[in-house]
Amino acid sequence: MAGDKGQNEAPSLGFDDEYFARVLPTFVNLGATPPDNLDAQAIARDWVASFAKHVELHDAPALVASLLHPAGWWRDLFALTWDLRSFAGAAAVTAFLRDCLPTSGLCDLTLERAVYQPLFPDLAWVLVRFAFGTTAATGRGTARLVYGPDGAWRAFAVSTQLDGLRDHPGLRGERRDFRAAHGDWEARRAVEREFADEDPEVLIVGAGHGGLAIAAYLKHLGVSCLLVEKSERVGDNWRNRYDALTLHDPIWSNHMPYLRFPASWPVFSPARKTANWLEFYVDALDLNVWTSTEALSAVRNEQTKKWDVRVRRADGTERTLRVNNLILAQGFTFRTVTFPGQEEFQGKLIDSTQYRSAKNLDAKKVVIIGACASAHDIASDCVNHGIGDVTMIQRSATYIISNSAVRTINPASEWENRPLDEVELDRFAMSLKIQFPMHARLAAALHARDRELLENLTRTGYRIRNGAEDDRGPFRLIFETGGGVYIDNGACQKIIDGKIKVKSGSGVAKITPTGVALADGTELSADVIVVATGLDGERTPARKLLGPDAGALVPGTAGLNAEGELRGSWHEVDGLNNMWLMLGNFASARFYGKLIALQIKAKQEGIFGPRYTPQSSE
């Protein structure tokens, strides 16, 4: 969406909500419209120069008064606070800077790039990217400058992000391994992987894309790390799902750290192809993984200040690993749901985790309980394999996005024409409380783009969330609830064409010998019932590993805290020192995995923190 003024056609608003209209820095709210033919670079140079001057003087009040919009935001991603924090409004930002400017050693502010972004007909800003240093680290930041009635450009949103550690740049230049491997490389790798003589510094439970991303960053930083994965092979969490499964995010946003997907890769990667890539990734980056290994328990030893983690390996032997840091990257487990009467069902009852394909499914009538991604994919697969009577039970409304709409909000041109870290800096910099109203406006544009599809679905009785009075877009829905969205991969047209029937608005009362009885009194006959009720709580595997007391401290990840940050993901868990929770798609794993790895390295080197707690009064 970035570009010079007038280059990109901004989407029509099409959505009028008082709250969001009040939050965003629209021209009406600002009382001014930016001039034509503005010089974004000159505006940015002046702003960064003034920013640097106030920082050097540690003059937080003057900085905020002259450079920040009164309703502005500042998001710090572990750079000045060693935490993930958002501060809203002049008073909160002033207090934060008054405390953190002296302690962090913020310095060396330099302009990297600036571009004018006309985002909507009534909203535009100059996006500024800058670099900086602190006492311990290097960082990158952004400022989104808006135009005021006094002719001044002030920041509506500022971000400061940890990007590296000053004296620990990782495996580059003379810090790389210059040993020649004269036939002993495999033997050296076997010794390194076994950790026979000493325990790793970091243990990661789960070798999915999130765990592997952090492990890659830790290896680059010279931190010894082991991943334990209970599956037989890396990638089995994708490989052992149904055949029709694909990634729903386009491949250009899904690159793993240090190793991009080839340009020839499918845009929406098949699950098994993704699984094989992750297995290849482990081999290519020499990551240490124990497969067929289950983490049985984890206890914080307050005497040694380490985590004692008991694991069982493939041969049945157990070992207790004593590690400085523990990262939980198991992801979500699937919810196991049982229904009254299901033991009496005379057909075949399959959980979605056991479903592979309808290729050899001997059935004339299939009922699928659920209506999110897996349910749609399975229903579509059944139709593709010739099953003539397929019904989805939709208990609550679903948010639908077409494949083309996803490519509109996540375009290849943005990811493939610029460095990944620059795109990430732009996309992850703003507080979610600003991103949400921005995405609410985009939701209106998506709704207009998908209008025909959504109207046709509604005519079938399918319940959609798009366009409702409280529609805030799929982005917010995923962050606040953890789901409820289906990116259409072909099932929607089958619903419109009547090839997939949908029963909406009523839950399952019980399973009968011949089908599914619904709460509204109707019954659907079936030869096969597939239960696709979604994911369990993200705390379930953590509580199993940690036990009830420590497990109770692990927060849920859906929903925001008071500052507008996610409650659990990507943080060190409050009350559980040196334990981290990793969740998210490929892009967020790549971005936040680096930040977790840098914090762990900083702790190992004794240059971490402390985390920010307010000291000054407002």
Side-chain angles (χ1 to χ4, degrees), residues 238 243-252 254 261-262 264-278 403 489 586:
W238 294 100
D243 293 352
L245 179 63
T246 67
L247 271 65
H248 286 174
D249 290 327
I251 199 66
W252 46 74
N254 286 342
F261 289 99
S264 60
W265 207 267
V267 171
F268 297 100
S269 178
R272 293 185 182 179
K273 190 173 182 68
T274 303
N276 293 341
W277 177 264
L278 294 178
N403 203 297
N489 280 329
F586 278 69

Side-chain angles (χ1 to χ4, degrees), residues 309-329:
V309 187
R310 186 166 58 94
V311 302
R312 182 189 296 126
R313 303 195 65 180
D315 60 3
T317 59
E318 294 187 8
R319 176 174 167 182
T320 297
L321 299 163
R322 295 173 172 84
V323 298
N324 294 334
N325 287 272
L326 174 64
I327 301 172
L328 304 187

Side-chain angles (χ1 to χ4, degrees), residues 225-242:
C225 172
L226 171 66
L227 301 106
V228 293
E229 170 57 51
K230 66 179 180 180
S231 299
E232 184 179 351
R233 295 170 61 187
V234 169
D236 275 353
N237 58 323
W238 294 100
R239 190 178 290 111
N240 293 338
R241 299 288 309 284
Y242 53 89

Side-chain angles (χ1 to χ4, degrees), residues 20 60 117 155 166 228 259 282 306 311 315 317 340 360 363 369 385 399 438 597 617:
F20 289 127
Q117 290 186 321
R166 280 191 181 274
V228 293
L259 190 61
V282 168
K306 291 179 179 284
V311 302
D315 60 3
T317 59
N360 299 314
I369 301 173
H385 286 92
Y399 204 104
M438 295 290 292
S617 64

Side-chain angles (χ1 to χ4, degrees), residues 240-548:
N240 293 338
R241 299 288 309 284
Y242 53 89
D243 293 352
L245 179 63
T246 67
L247 271 65
H248 286 174
D249 290 327
I251 199 66
W252 46 74
S253 67
N254 286 342
H255 300 294
M256 294 291 287
Y258 310 117
L259 190 61
R260 297 172 68 101
F261 289 99
S264 60
W265 207 267
V267 171
F268 297 100
S269 178
R272 293 185 182 179
K273 190 173 182 68
T274 303
N276 293 341
W277 177 264
L278 294 178
E279 194 170 49
F280 160 74
Y281 186 79
V282 168
D283 184 62
L285 272 69
D286 286 342
L287 304 181
N288 302 316
V289 183
W290 291 356
T291 53
S292 300
T293 300
E294 183 177 5
L296 302 174
S297 65
V299 177
R300 173 77 173 173
N301 187 321
E302 293 304 327
Q303 280 70 47
T304 64
K305 306 301 181 185
K306 291 179 179 284
W307 283 94
D308 295 343
V309 187
R310 186 166 58 94
V311 302
R312 182 189 296 126
R313 303 195 65 180
D315 60 3
T317 59
E318 294 187 8
R319 176 174 167 182
T320 297
L321 299 163
R322 295 173 172 84
V323 298
N324 294 334
N325 287 272
L326 174 64
I327 301 172
L328 304 187
Q330 304 108 306
F332 291 89
T333 56
F334 285 89
R335 182 185 297 121
T336 300
V337 177
T338 58
F339 296 95
Q342 69 179 44
E343 66 281 355
E344 305 297 328
F345 181 56
Q346 296 172 1
K348 190 172 185 179
L349 185 70
I350 309 172
D351 189 86
S352 64
T353 57
Q354 273 72 55
Y355 180 90
R356 292 293 176 268
S357 171
K359 186 185 304 182
N360 299 314
L361 198 61
D362 184 18
K364 295 181 179 179
K365 294 184 177 182
V366 175
V367 171
I368 300 158
I369 301 173
C372 270
S374 294
H376 284 82
D377 287 349
I378 291 168
S380 185
D381 182 60
C382 287
V383 172
N384 290 343
H385 286 92
I387 297 175
D389 193 330
V390 181
T391 303
M392 263 191 332
I393 298 174
Q394 185 192 32
R395 294 166 297 165
S396 58
T398 307
Y399 204 104
I400 297 295
I401 315 174
S402 69
N403 203 297
S404 60
V406 169
R407 299 198 304 274
T408 298
I409 60 176
N410 205 4
S413 59
E414 180 179 16
W415 290 95
E416 295 186 335
N417 296 337
R418 299 161 57 201
L420 275 178
D421 60 352
E422 185 177 290
V423 180
E424 290 172 340
L425 183 67
D426 292 353
R427 280 188 166 246
F428 289 98
M430 287 191 296
S431 164
L432 291 173
K433 285 194 174 181
I434 305 174
Q435 293 189 55
F436 283 170
M438 295 290 292
H439 279 266
R441 287 186 162 210
L442 287 176
L446 297 181
H447 184 269
R449 184 185 186 96
D450 290 341
R451 186 179 304 281
E452 182 178 357
L453 171 69
L454 299 173
E455 288 177 349
N456 288 337
L457 281 173
T458 301
R459 290 190 188 100
T460 71
Y462 189 99
R463 298 170 62 199
I464 63 169
R465 298 187 67 149
N466 311 53
E469 185 178 345
D470 63 347
D471 183 6
R472 298 290 182 266
F475 182 79
R476 180 172 179 178
L477 185 63
I478 290 170
F479 272 87
E480 291 196 333
T481 69
V485 177
Y486 172 60
I487 299 173
D488 182 30
N489 280 329
C492 287
Q493 191 59 50
K494 293 183 175 74
I495 294 170
I496 294 166
D497 294 340
K499 295 176 181 178
I500 298 173
K501 293 181 286 187
V502 178
K503 176 63 178 175
S504 296
S506 182
V508 175
K510 64 178 181 177
I511 305 294
T512 70
T514 58
V516 181
L518 301 178
D520 65 3
T522 60
E523 183 171 342
L524 304 173
S525 60
D527 305 309
V528 172
I529 299 172
V530 181
V531 181
T533 48
L535 300 170
D536 205 347
E538 65 279 8
R539 288 181 283 187
T540 300
R543 287 173 172 175
K544 180 181 177 182
L545 179 67
L546 299 169

Side-chain angles (χ1 to χ4, degrees), residues 170-197:
L171 299 177
R172 62 183 64 176
E174 293 300 316
R175 295 174 181 267
R176 300 183 68 173
D177 186 355
F178 285 90
R179 292 176 297 172
H182 294 296
D184 64 343
W185 168 78
E186 289 182 315
R188 289 198 337 234
R189 278 291 299 132
V191 170
E192 179 185 348
R193 192 164 44 239
E194 279 303 301
F195 291 97
D197 297 328

